[in-house]
Amino acid sequence: HPKDFTPVCTTELGAVGALEKQFAARGAKVIGLSVDPVENHGKWAKDIEEVTGSAVNFPVIGDPQLKVAKLYDMLPGDAGDSCEGRTPADNATVRMVFVIGPDKRIKLTLAYPMTTGRNFDEIIRVLDSMQLTAKHKVATPVNWKQGEDVIIAGSVSDEDAKKTYPDGWKSPKPYIRIVPAPR
């Protein structure tokens, strides 16, 4: 987050608080980051709960020296070394979402403008897709939702696909092989 006590971010942290059980059910851990000091986060957390009805029960990192923001390329290296005197507009690029896999590698990066709240339904959808495709050699099509048909990964030969999907697949084009989602 570009700064504590920003209106859009307040709604977002409340939404994440409300979705905490959904993230936990997927084995995902949520962590926030704001360029302001941790002391401010506690005051902001009270506002968030008052405004949204959801508590912030996940960690929110304080990054007043901008080290994490710079490390993850949310701010340029010459952005200074303190959050003091900076406005949310100065830190607008610190509106990122990262999904980091169990292998400690970044799997997804989303950047949101200051005026647009993050879509956590989409983030959960992506988590579901990533977990499904990590376990099975499939890919998810546009706007896919849990339980819907998937595509056999292009790395799987037809011969190998026949072993996994003996009933076959729908194939509107030779390179698209659609099957029910694995359970």
Side-chain angles (χ1 to χ4, degrees):
H1 296 277
K3 205 123 183 83
D4 291 359
F5 305 102
T6 52
V8 174
C9 297
T10 297
T11 65
E12 292 169 337
L13 287 174
V16 172
L19 294 169
E20 210 168 357
K21 288 181 182 171
Q22 287 193 45
F23 284 110
R26 290 163 173 81
K29 296 177 184 176
V30 175
I31 191 166
L33 174 127
S34 175
V35 299
D36 286 331
V38 171
E39 302 82 55
N40 291 6
H41 298 350
K43 297 172 197 163
W44 189 26
K46 290 176 185 170
D47 283 5
I48 292 164
E49 186 169 8
E50 186 178 314
V51 169
T52 68
S54 296
V56 177
N57 294 317
F58 51 89
V60 179
I61 297 169
D63 189 24
Q65 284 90 35
L66 313 176
K67 290 179 182 178
V68 178
K70 289 179 185 179
L71 180 67
Y72 284 84
D73 292 326
M74 292 182 271
L75 287 174
D78 63 357
D81 58 4
S82 174
C83 67
E84 292 300 317
R86 295 178 67 84
T87 68
D90 295 330
N91 302 328
T93 53
V94 188
R95 295 228 354 105
M96 304 288 293
V97 174
F98 297 96
V99 175
I100 301 172
D103 61 358
K104 310 289 187 244
R105 295 187 184 272
I106 295 173
K107 305 297 184 181
L108 171 77
T109 304
L110 295 171
Y112 283 84
M114 293 285 290
T115 55
T116 304
R118 299 167 219 223
N119 184 331
F120 287 99
D121 292 337
E122 170 63 2
I123 293 165
I124 287 174
R125 184 190 81 84
V126 170
L127 279 173
D128 288 342
S129 171
M130 291 169 65
Q131 289 179 341
L132 178 71
T133 60
K135 287 182 187 172
H136 305 279
K137 294 180 180 178
V138 296
T140 56
V142 65
N143 298 327
W144 173 88
K145 291 185 183 97
Q146 204 168 38
E148 293 180 350
D149 288 351
V150 296
I151 300 167
I152 300 170
S155 60
V156 177
S157 68
D158 281 349
E159 185 178 303
D160 287 340
K162 287 175 187 172
K163 294 173 193 169
T164 306
Y165 303 100
D167 294 335
W169 49 82
K170 293 182 274 181
S171 192
K173 294 286 180 185
Y175 57 90
I176 302 174
R177 301 169 293 172
I178 301 168
V179 294
R183 302 214 181 273

